[in-house]
Amino acid sequence: MFQAAKKVQGFHEISDHMEAGGVAAAVLSESGKVYTGVCVDTACTLGVCAERNALFNMITNGESKILRKFYLLVIL
């Protein structure tokens, strides 16, 4: 799970008002598949955390049961 989160993690500026990737998360589903997500931060505070993005990814792919969660934080 660490490697999966590390692979998608990478802080970058999307625009003057949006940045992503400062935090990455991975969830292990009941089927054994690992789903990942990164945080998306916006100037108006309507961003989405990495954990929620990983869960959204899992749900989008038809799964709903989590066995384990992992978070990777980057300090800038």
Side-chain angles (χ1 to χ4, degrees):
M1 291 177 64
F2 172 81
Q3 290 301 325
K6 181 87 172 141
K7 185 176 179 180
V8 298
Q9 186 278 323
F11 178 83
H12 61 279
E13 189 174 309
I14 296 170
S15 73
D16 289 342
H17 305 288
M18 185 181 290
E19 55 193 36
V23 176
V27 293
L28 176 63
S29 69
E30 186 175 58
S31 73
K33 183 164 179 170
V34 175
Y35 294 94
T36 58
V38 297
C39 66
V40 178
D41 296 311
T42 63
C44 65
T45 70
L46 291 176
V48 178
C49 68
E51 300 85 352
R52 288 175 63 197
N53 268 332
L55 291 174
F56 296 161
N57 186 5
M58 183 185 76
I59 291 165
T60 297
N61 284 281
E63 298 204 55
S64 60
K65 304 254 191 233
I66 301 169
L67 293 182
R68 187 173 179 195
K69 298 178 273 186
F70 179 82
Y71 311 101
L72 179 64
L73 174 65
V74 172
I75 307 296
L76 300 176

